[in-house]
Amino acid sequence: MSTQTKTFKTEVSQLLDLVIHSLYSNKEIFLRELISNASDAIDRARFEALSNSDLHEPEGGWKIKLVPDKDANTLTIVDNGIGMNEVELETNIGTIANSGTKAFLKQLKEAEAKDRPELIGQFGVGFYASFMVAEKVEILTRRAGETQAWHWTSTGDGTYEIEEAEREQHGTTITLHLRKEEDEDGSEDFTAEYKLREIVKKYSDYIAFPVVMDVKRSEKDEEASKEGEDPVYKDVIKEETLNSMKAIWTRPKSEVTDEEYQTFYKAAFHDWEDPRKIIHWSAEGTTEFKGLLFIPKKAPFDLFYNDEAKGLHLYVKRVFIMNDCKELIPGYLRFVKGVVDSADLSLNVSREILQNNPLVRRIGKNVVSKVLSTLKEMQENDTAAYEDFWQEFGKVVKEGMHTDFANKDKISHLLRFESSKTEAGKTVSLKDYLDRMQPDQKEIYYLTGESRAVVENSPLLEAFKARNLEVLFLTDTIDEWVIPALESYEEKPLKGIHRGDVNLDSEDEQKEKEAKLEEAKENYASVLEALKKGLGDKIKEVRFSKRLTDSAAVLVSDDSGIDANMERMMKAMGQVVPVAPRILELNPAHPVLGKLKSMVEANAEDPEITEYAELLRDQAVLTEGGDLENPARFAQQISKLMAK
Ligand code: ADP
């Protein structure tokens, strides 16, 4: 039998380094992680046993055992779950099979020490948490269905050793060689029975399998105790179960306390904080199931790395079927965590069967409408909490507008946006918007852009502000997809104020403006022509505008064209952006026109006219938050102008 020394993948080494050197608080979560892994391993063994008659429930039942040894300063966690073979050991423990790892490590490095354990919990680097408390970790494991066992050791210093070994049964034994106790009061002694009881109760109470520990008790020795004399005591070893194993979702809502829900949530879904919202219901009728869902307070760091749903945990009559059942919840609700326990599904379902199962689809539908109606209620009854929720998850919910066509209408009631009448960071719902529309207003106005700062200062807003018209600020990238899906709300069409012609004026005002426009067209025809010539193909048209009051120029798109925000988004997604020349609109009342006119009259071929044309266009690009094609040239032109 030979021992092989191997090197961890770089990212594992980095992670271990961080775990060992920078985590100081809440070290006790290592146990939650290891128990959760053990419980998953038993779940998998049970599941495999359903279709493999060679695999049985072990004598004494499925269980997780804690073995503290004060003298050796070790803590051992034993499970009789699925175990691992050599390949699984190497891939599961030696690498991190997650695409978000780099981003996570970066975030972890930048985070404050106190926030790190929470991050670790979210990421599920579970097993590696053992190195917070152990200077050396041993794994002895045997895969169910195989005879060869494996022994793995590491001190977390970049390498691990692996060798053949023996283990009587399938399952995994993890031995932690604990670091020397740091606190004098013993609060860090992970071999103390009371401490282990406390940690298990706190984090792992609802684990579905018994977490047991052998304890020594003093009992009266019946044989040795003689009548009439003082009783004689002897030490006996008893197996104590540390967790309650109550499947909280099967109990009626009225019998579960808030605290029970919260403890369950934190333990089962590795969160540090209480959930923002608890949704517990029992569906009856065509599909019978129990659902217990949670909306977390904070978005996980990888909410946008992966737009797939992580899924809900699926049980059938309290028997665990699988984690992360994606069929039960769509991607745009991927922040929802929870459990579905069906009374109708067969225990023998596989992932493949689930994918096309009409029953599962029906449950999924029911789950979605429950979540959407809960959110609607929350917005109506507790707007402040809903706004907080929206800050965290609004962008994700918006995805539903184009991915869940059937529920588009319901989702539209959940939308919120910042606007020209909200403070930065505050939002309005579309209903709020309708409620405070001007009496004769027929459209819902919006403006898209990169950030609030950019849209707020857009010249396009001037005319709307002057008329006290509210304009929604659509500054999330996703908004470009929301708009086409939304089109209108309560029969009021949405109108982008950067698109096409916007007409805000009364008939008289219109007439007056038309007259001014005609006048300008006549007066400055030569200027328009010279500017158009100077800008060439890069501009579709140069024309006069009715929407400007202060600024000299603005860029607009025609109704169907790609606008600046869409262009930015397509670039960000690495797509080829079709060149769609835009329209440069000029303010007919701006003094710059007079200046240009005298230049054109003096010499229509003056190259400075082209420079002015470019400056006007570049200014318009800058005010909408765009990137100049040639910033250096812009700077030179400005300096030249200043020096005149
Ligand atoms: P996670 O549990 O989030 O996947 P871990 O680092 O805790 O991450 O574990 C990595 C993998 O190692 C697990 O997904 C599982 O495949 C395997 N593993 C860990 N502990 C056990 C165990 N007690 N029994 C069997 N497999 C385990």
Side-chain angles (χ1 to χ4, degrees):
M1 245 195 278
S2 67
T3 305
Q4 290 184 323
T5 302
K6 303 202 171 184
T7 316
F8 284 115
K9 288 267 183 329
T10 325
E11 68 269 17
V12 177
S13 289
Q14 286 176 349
L15 192 59
L16 280 172
D17 198 54
L18 270 162
V19 165
I20 295 168
H21 295 114
S22 20
L23 294 172
Y24 305 104
S25 54
N26 278 95
K27 292 185 174 178
E28 61 192 28
I29 61 153
F30 79 92
L31 191 58
R32 173 189 77 185
E33 300 299 321
L34 295 182
I35 290 178
S36 157
N37 281 350
S39 162
D40 287 350
I42 297 176
D43 273 331
R44 289 177 53 205
R46 283 180 88 199
F47 188 60
E48 221 169 277
L50 293 174
S51 56
N52 175 359
S53 52
D54 291 340
L55 193 56
H56 309 282
E57 176 163 348
E59 213 173 295
W62 303 103
K63 71 172 77 162
I64 300 158
K65 186 163 185 165
L66 306 186
V67 187
D69 184 333
K70 224 178 194 59
D71 298 333
N73 198 28
T74 59
L75 173 64
T76 302
I77 296 101
V78 190
D79 69 61
N80 49 17
I82 194 79
M84 287 176 274
N85 60 29
E86 188 184 16
V87 175
E88 287 165 338
L89 242 187
E90 296 222 4
T91 47
N92 297 346
I93 306 288
T95 59
I96 302 172
N98 191 317
S99 55
T101 308
K102 274 210 184 111
F104 167 73
L105 282 171
K106 186 162 169 283
Q107 208 188 352
L108 194 62
K109 273 184 203 147
E110 286 164 3
E112 283 186 38
K114 70 169 173 41
D115 298 328
R116 286 184 181 140
E118 183 184 357
L119 286 172
I120 294 213
Q122 284 176 7
F123 191 67
V125 287
F127 168 76
Y128 303 104
S130 353
F131 286 97
M132 291 196 288
V133 298
E135 55 191 16
K136 183 169 124 187
V137 178
E138 288 180 70
I139 306 176
L140 175 63
T141 183
R142 187 179 135 189
R143 178 74 167 80
E146 298 181 21
T147 48
Q148 182 64 60
W150 297 91
H151 181 242
W152 180 104
T153 327
S154 178
T155 51
D157 59 354
T159 62
Y160 58 91
E161 286 177 359
I162 191 162
E163 64 191 346
E164 292 179 2
E166 280 177 38
R167 196 181 191 280
E168 218 171 288
Q169 277 191 333
H170 61 81
T172 301
T173 304
I174 296 184
T175 302
L176 308 177
H177 296 264
L178 299 166
R179 291 174 197 282
K180 292 278 166 304
E181 218 179 282
E182 286 153 21
D183 294 8
E184 283 179 2
D185 66 359
S187 64
E188 298 266 294
D189 180 4
F190 298 113
T191 61
E193 285 175 2
Y194 82 91
K195 184 85 192 162
L196 295 171
R197 256 186 222 113
E198 194 182 286
I199 304 175
V200 171
K201 195 79 194 157
K202 186 162 165 196
Y203 298 108
S204 314
D205 195 43
Y206 298 97
I207 290 291
F209 307 103
V211 178
V212 303
M213 178 167 68
D214 283 344
V215 290
K216 219 191 269 174
R217 290 226 184 96
S218 207
E219 274 186 7
K220 187 174 161 193
D221 188 337
E222 297 292 349
E223 272 172 36
S225 300
K226 301 212 174 73
E227 217 166 311
E229 287 175 27
D230 283 344
V232 179
Y233 288 91
K234 61 174 180 187
D235 280 342
V236 289
I237 303 290
K238 284 260 162 91
E239 187 171 86
E240 180 184 325
T241 301
L242 309 179
N243 58 332
S244 77
M245 295 175 279
K246 276 184 254 169
I248 181 171
W249 57 88
T250 60
R251 288 158 54 195
K253 207 168 150 179
S254 56
E255 288 174 19
V256 187
T257 65
D258 279 355
E259 207 187 333
E260 283 178 300
Y261 280 127
Q262 286 156 4
T263 321
F264 170 71
Y265 166 72
K266 287 190 268 196
F269 301 103
H270 300 208
D271 200 344
W272 227 234
E273 283 186 276
D274 290 340
R276 182 173 312 280
K277 192 84 196 163
I278 300 161
I279 313 173
H280 187 187
W281 80 112
S282 180
E284 272 145 25
T286 43
T287 37
E288 239 175 80
F289 71 92
K290 296 199 161 48
L292 176 54
L293 308 182
F294 300 91
I295 298 176
K297 281 213 177 97
K298 292 271 158 53
F301 79 94
D302 63 350
L303 190 64
F304 295 100
Y305 286 105
N306 189 353
D307 54 12
E308 247 188 37
K310 191 144 194 291
L312 301 177
H313 296 187
L314 178 65
Y315 286 75
V316 172
K317 299 192 191 101
R318 294 179 70 153
V319 178
F320 170 85
I321 302 297
M322 66 173 73
N323 283 333
D324 308 339
C325 179
K326 292 187 177 39
E327 285 68 30
L328 293 175
I329 195 124
Y332 75 97
L333 297 177
R334 60 184 172 275
F335 52 87
V336 176
K337 311 236 182 263
V339 170
V340 161
D341 195 335
S342 159
D344 309 325
L345 280 168
S346 126
L347 279 179
N348 277 313
V349 287
S350 65
R351 277 195 192 266
E352 292 69 43
I353 291 174
L354 280 175
Q355 276 169 11
N356 292 311
N357 186 305
L359 206 59
V360 173
R361 243 195 322 258
R362 259 207 308 271
I363 298 177
K365 260 191 173 165
N366 186 317
V367 165
V368 170
S369 56
K370 189 77 191 173
V371 173
L372 295 182
S373 65
T374 305
L375 290 174
K376 180 164 183 267
E377 239 167 70
M378 191 170 152
Q379 169 155 246
E380 283 161 10
N381 301 335
D382 190 354
T383 315
Y386 187 79
E387 274 215 79
D388 289 342
F389 156 79
W390 189 254
Q391 292 293 350
E392 290 294 316
F393 301 112
K395 281 185 201 162
V396 181
V397 174
K398 285 177 186 172
E399 291 171 11
M401 284 300 293
H402 72 275
T403 55
D404 188 357
F405 197 75
N407 285 309
K408 212 174 77 171
D409 220 42
K410 287 186 184 162
I411 302 169
S412 73
H413 297 303
L414 304 177
L415 299 175
R416 295 185 77 85
F417 302 99
E418 289 197 29
S419 88
S420 55
K421 292 196 177 173
T422 66
E423 296 164 41
K426 291 272 180 256
T427 52
V428 281
S429 67
L430 291 170
K431 186 174 173 302
D432 296 342
Y433 184 99
L434 292 193
D435 288 348
R436 57 197 204 199
M437 262 169 55
Q438 298 295 330
D440 51 354
Q441 189 181 339
K442 294 186 185 61
E443 293 170 316
I444 299 174
Y445 297 115
Y446 70 88
L447 179 56
T448 56
E450 203 173 28
S451 67
R452 181 175 177 114
V454 168
V455 290
E456 206 164 33
N457 294 310
S458 165
L460 292 168
L461 269 186
E462 290 166 9
F464 291 82
K465 276 192 192 143
R467 285 172 178 74
N468 197 22
L469 289 167
E470 183 166 18
V471 176
L472 298 176
F473 293 162
L474 273 55
T475 51
D476 285 340
T477 315
I478 182 85
D479 290 336
E480 284 294 346
W481 304 112
V482 172
I483 292 303
L486 187 60
E487 279 176 355
S488 67
Y489 182 76
E490 303 285 333
E491 292 169 20
K492 299 271 189 235
L494 271 92
K495 176 80 185 170
I497 66 169
H498 57 308
R499 283 184 172 281
D501 239 357
V502 182
N503 197 349
L504 299 175
D505 299 319
S506 69
E507 263 178 46
D508 283 352
E509 285 169 324
Q510 270 184 50
K511 274 195 193 129
E512 198 180 315
K513 279 203 173 165
E514 285 298 338
K516 275 204 186 128
L517 218 66
E518 287 309 316
E519 196 184 302
K521 268 192 207 160
E522 234 167 77
N523 209 355
Y524 300 122
S526 58
V527 174
L528 282 194
E529 205 168 299
L531 291 179
K532 173 80 184 143
K533 200 170 136 209
L535 292 171
D537 293 346
K538 286 182 186 151
I539 285 293
K540 187 171 172 187
E541 194 189 338
V542 183
R543 69 185 183 203
F544 287 113
S545 175
K546 282 185 256 176
R547 57 185 119 205
L548 293 174
T549 52
D550 299 325
S551 308
V554 67
L555 280 168
V556 297
S557 314
D558 54 21
D559 268 327
S560 56
I562 291 186
D563 60 39
N565 212 38
M566 187 72 127
E567 196 178 304
R568 193 162 38 240
M569 201 166 88
M570 291 172 78
K571 271 189 195 152
M573 296 191 313
Q575 293 191 9
V576 182
V577 184
V579 190
R582 316 241 331 264
I583 299 164
L584 183 70
E585 285 195 354
L586 303 175
N587 180 350
H590 203 278
V592 76
L593 288 173
K595 163 92 182 165
L596 279 165
K597 191 177 174 191
S598 46
M599 286 172 76
V600 174
E601 279 170 358
N603 171 13
E605 301 300 318
D606 184 350
E608 277 197 359
I609 296 174
T610 304
E611 289 191 19
Y612 269 78
E614 284 171 354
L615 275 173
L616 281 171
R617 180 206 52 207
D618 286 356
Q619 280 177 33
V621 170
L622 286 177
T623 44
E624 66 180 16
D627 293 327
L628 293 182
E629 219 166 80
N630 192 343
R633 187 172 155 80
F634 177 75
Q636 279 164 10
Q637 286 172 338
I638 291 274
S639 320
K640 195 171 146 192
L641 205 64
M642 286 163 74
K644 269 198 174 172

